[in-house]
């Protein structure tokens, strides 16, 4: 294709990884949701219980409804509410995966500036994902 | 089919649809005065949210705006969910849209990785800050500042122009150091277009502000990214739009993690919104050539202004 002549190898790799990981993410999100709302797996909290409190502030909501947040769900994957939450967590990780993949490519091309920028970007996202600054679980 | 009649009919249909949604959707009674007992079954809200986001997706594409910016003010006005959860879902709506659109734009060379990475690093840090500040603010302050921001966005959308192929006589030093330049094949011109940028430090400063606001309100930031890329940095319009989507995916990822850790993401609200919006944008893209985009864009701006005004009034407790 004519357009791809102007696209760097790093960019094409990013695009390919993004295509696969984001498609998988959307499938995972929809599947996890269906498992939860049709209650195909047991859940700690039903959708009906959530709906009675979803008008509350997030901080108040979590005092009365024990739904997953942050990373507090990882040991309980075989639960409907956890599965649908995990799918959202995966979707929020797609960009990190794509960026991590291109770091070695920039490094191989001896592109120091973008190797550093990409490493810093991944560190920023990992930092946010750990919940250190936001008081995560 | 009468080709001339269709655009007007299509626009009229969309207008009627929007007005109907605003009039007949269960009003903000729940949102304004939270009730402990929810009389409407949860699944009705789920279906309503999906259908609403489906139409929002259609309108967003035709109006030439990102779904995220419409989602937060409108859903927080007309659905019973707390604005914390609406902002969390808004970020994920914008993120999933950006992720699914990103790959083809990168492959075609329309989105530029180096331009995006340079701006996204600083913007993502500020979007984390914005998300933390936004979730710590009292609800009325969030509503007030959201209302003011949305009204500001409406004005920007109404007044800002664009330049399809800005001419840059001399790139600045920072853009030279960062190797920010490119070439892409323009399907309209049927030829290669090369570009370079200037005013990179100003662009970086503006992206700090954009990232902060996107994180604070859970808005997609295409409304701000594109003008900064295009009018400030001098990036061709097509490259600006495509690269904006990439930047958005990085910024919203950073902010989304803060919302996840603060417990402000409920899949029960986020997933129907994502699914409805994605389906709607696909249909909207097909309708794009058949409706009066200018009419719909004005309608979207009016809708946005109304939602902003509503948020402002809620902030004042009216």
């Amino acid at each position: 294709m004519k357009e791809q002549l102007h696209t760097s190898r790093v960019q094409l790799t990013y695009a390919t990884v993004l295509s696969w990981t984001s498609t998988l993410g959307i499938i995972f999100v929809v599947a996890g949701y269906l498992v939860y709302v049709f209650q195909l797996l047991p859940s700690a909290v039903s959708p009906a219980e959530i709906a009675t409190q979803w008008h509350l502030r997030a901080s108040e909501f979590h005092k009365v409804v024990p739904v997953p947040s942050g990373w507090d769900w990882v040991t309980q994957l075989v639960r409907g509410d956890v599965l649908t939450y995990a799918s959202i967590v995966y979707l929020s990780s797609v960009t990190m995966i794509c960026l991590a993949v291109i770091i070695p490519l920039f490094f191989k091309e001896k592109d120091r500036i973008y190797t550093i920028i990409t490493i810093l970007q991944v560190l920023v996202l990992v930092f946010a994902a750990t919940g250190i600054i936001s008081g995560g679980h | 089919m009468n080709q001339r009649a269709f655009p007007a009919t299509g626009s009229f249909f969309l207008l009627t649809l929007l007005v109907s949604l605003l009039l007949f959707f269960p009003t903000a009674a729940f949102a304004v005065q939270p009730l402990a007992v929810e009389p409407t079954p949860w699944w009705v809200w789920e279906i309503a949210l999906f259908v609403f986001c489906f139409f929002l997706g259609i309108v967003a594409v035709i109006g030439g705006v990102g779904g995220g910016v419409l989602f937060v003010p409108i859903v927080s006005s007309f659905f019973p969910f707390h604005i914390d959860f609406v902002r969390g879902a808004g970020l994920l709506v914008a993120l999933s849209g950006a992720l699914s659109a990103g790959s083809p734009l990168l492959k075609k060379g329309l989105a530029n990785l180096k331009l995006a990475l340079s701006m996204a690093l600083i913007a993502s840090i500020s979007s984390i800050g914005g998300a933390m500040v936004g979730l710590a603010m009292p609800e009325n302050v969030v509503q007030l500042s959201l209302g003011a921001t949305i009204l500001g966005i409406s004005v920007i959308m109404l007044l800002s122009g664009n330049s399809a192929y800005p001419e840059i006589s001399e790139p600045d030093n920072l853009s030279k150091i960062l190797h920010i330049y490119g070439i892409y094949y323009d399907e309209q011109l049927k030829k290669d277009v090369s570009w370079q940028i200037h005013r990179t430090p100003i662009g970086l400063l503006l992206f700090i502000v954009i990232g902060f606001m996107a994180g604070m309100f859970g808005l997609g930031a295409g409304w701000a990214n594109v003008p900064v890329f295009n009018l400030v940095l001098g990036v061709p319009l097509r490259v600006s739009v495509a690269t904006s989507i990439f930047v958005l995916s990085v910024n919203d990822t950073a902010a989304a993690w803060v919302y996840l850790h603060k417990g402000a993401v409920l899949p029960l609200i986020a997933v129907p919104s994502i699914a409805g919006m994605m389906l709607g944008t696909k249909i909207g893209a097909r309708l794009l050539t058949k409706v009066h985009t200018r009419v719909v864009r004005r309608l979207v701006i009016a809708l946005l202004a109304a939602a902003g005004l509503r948020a402002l009034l809620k902030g004042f407790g009216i």
Side-chain angles (χ1 to χ4, degrees), chain A residues 3-4 6-7 11-12 14-15 18, chain B residues 97-113 184 238-247:
Chain A
E3 296 113 356
Q4 293 195 357
H6 303 309
T7 310
Q11 188 159 324
L12 280 175
Y14 188 102
L18 177 61
Chain B
L99 292 176
S100 50
S103 181
L105 296 172
L106 282 163
K107 281 182 181 166
K108 285 183 177 178
L110 285 174
N112 186 278
L113 195 63
Y184 74 99
R238 285 170 200 276
V239 180
S240 298
V241 172
T243 307
S244 158
I245 289 170
F246 185 100
V247 172

Side-chain angles (χ1 to χ4, degrees), chain B residues 247-309:
Chain B
V247 172
L248 204 148
S249 72
V250 180
N251 291 354
D252 285 3
T253 294
W257 277 108
V258 178
Y259 280 77
L260 281 164
H261 282 292
K262 292 284 186 187
V265 174
L266 284 181
L268 216 50
I269 298 171
V271 181
S273 311
I274 293 169
M277 192 74 84
M278 290 189 88
L279 213 59
T281 49
K282 283 194 191 300
I283 304 291
R286 288 188 183 185
L287 287 175
L288 202 56
T289 54
K290 295 177 182 169
V291 293
H292 277 308
T293 51
R294 192 175 290 180
V295 174
V296 178
R297 186 174 169 81
R298 282 181 188 163
L299 182 68
V300 167
I301 293 170
L303 190 71
L304 207 55
L309 200 63

Side-chain angles (χ1 to χ4, degrees), chain B residues 1 3 5-15 17-18 53-64 276-297:
Chain B
M1 185 182 286
Q3 289 290 322
F6 191 88
T9 314
S11 304
F12 180 73
F13 168 73
L14 280 165
L15 173 67
L17 188 74
L18 267 171
C53 289
F54 172 74
F55 287 115
L56 210 57
I58 295 177
V59 172
V61 171
I62 297 169
M277 192 74 84
M278 290 189 88
L279 213 59
T281 49
K282 283 194 191 300
I283 304 291
R286 288 188 183 185
L287 287 175
L288 202 56
T289 54
K290 295 177 182 169
V291 293
H292 277 308
T293 51
R294 192 175 290 180
V295 174
V296 178
R297 186 174 169 81

Side-chain angles (χ1 to χ4, degrees), chain A residues 19-118:
Chain A
S19 175
W20 283 99
T21 47
S22 60
T23 305
L24 192 67
I26 300 299
I27 294 169
F28 190 20
V29 162
V30 174
Y33 176 81
L34 293 177
V35 166
Y36 178 51
V37 294
F38 288 109
Q39 300 183 17
L40 303 177
L41 283 174
S43 296
V45 186
S46 71
E49 286 172 80
I50 290 177
T52 60
Q53 307 294 338
W54 60 21
H55 59 275
L56 295 175
R57 272 214 93 139
S59 51
E60 293 162 19
F61 177 89
H62 283 271
K63 286 177 190 163
V64 287
V65 187
V67 292
S69 72
W71 290 104
D72 64 2
W73 48 273
V74 283
T75 54
Q76 303 162 306
L77 258 177
V78 198
R79 262 175 41 189
D81 52 345
V82 169
L83 199 65
T84 186
Y85 188 80
S87 71
I88 299 278
V89 168
Y90 171 78
L91 199 67
S92 306
S93 308
V94 164
T95 304
M96 270 187 274
I97 297 168
C98 298
L99 288 169
V101 167
I102 60 168
I103 291 171
L105 301 182
F106 275 134
F107 185 74
K108 262 188 198 173
E109 289 185 358
K110 294 180 180 164
D111 192 335
R112 280 187 209 157
I113 292 173
Y114 283 94
T115 305
I116 293 167
I117 288 178
T118 314

Side-chain angles (χ1 to χ4, degrees), chain B residues 97-294:
Chain B
L99 292 176
S100 50
S103 181
L105 296 172
L106 282 163
K107 281 182 181 166
K108 285 183 177 178
L110 285 174
N112 186 278
L113 195 63
K114 290 188 175 179
L115 172 62
L117 284 172
S118 305
M119 302 297 153
L121 177 59
I122 199 155
S124 61
I125 295 169
S126 69
S127 76
I128 292 172
M132 292 183 66
V133 171
L135 285 170
M137 286 196 310
E139 189 180 345
N140 64 326
V141 180
V142 174
Q143 290 284 6
L144 276 174
S145 36
L146 175 68
T149 305
I150 295 296
L151 285 173
I153 293 170
S154 313
V155 174
I156 290 172
M157 286 175 65
L158 198 65
L159 301 179
S160 74
N162 58 56
S163 172
Y165 309 102
E167 284 186 21
I168 308 294
S169 53
E170 179 68 26
D172 64 281
N173 288 334
L174 186 56
S175 75
K176 284 182 195 165
I177 294 167
L178 292 170
H179 306 295
I180 302 175
Y181 51 81
I183 182 165
Y184 74 99
Y185 180 72
D186 193 296
E187 286 178 15
Q188 203 167 2
L189 297 177
K190 306 279 181 212
K191 67 172 190 176
D192 289 339
V193 174
S194 59
W195 57 269
Q196 50 193 2
I197 66 169
H198 61 177
R199 304 188 199 123
T200 309
I202 299 170
L204 284 168
L205 287 175
L206 289 171
F207 270 100
I208 294 175
V209 180
I210 296 169
F212 192 85
M213 290 175 84
M216 182 182 273
F217 299 122
L219 304 172
W223 55 272
N225 291 344
V226 176
V228 171
F229 276 138
N230 183 232
L231 300 174
V232 179
L233 298 177
V235 180
L237 188 59
R238 285 170 200 276
V239 180
S240 298
V241 172
T243 307
S244 158
I245 289 170
F246 185 100
V247 172
L248 204 148
S249 72
V250 180
N251 291 354
D252 285 3
T253 294
W257 277 108
V258 178
Y259 280 77
L260 281 164
H261 282 292
K262 292 284 186 187
V265 174
L266 284 181
L268 216 50
I269 298 171
V271 181
S273 311
I274 293 169
M277 192 74 84
M278 290 189 88
L279 213 59
T281 49
K282 283 194 191 300
I283 304 291
R286 288 188 183 185
L287 287 175
L288 202 56
T289 54
K290 295 177 182 169
V291 293
H292 277 308
T293 51
R294 192 175 290 180

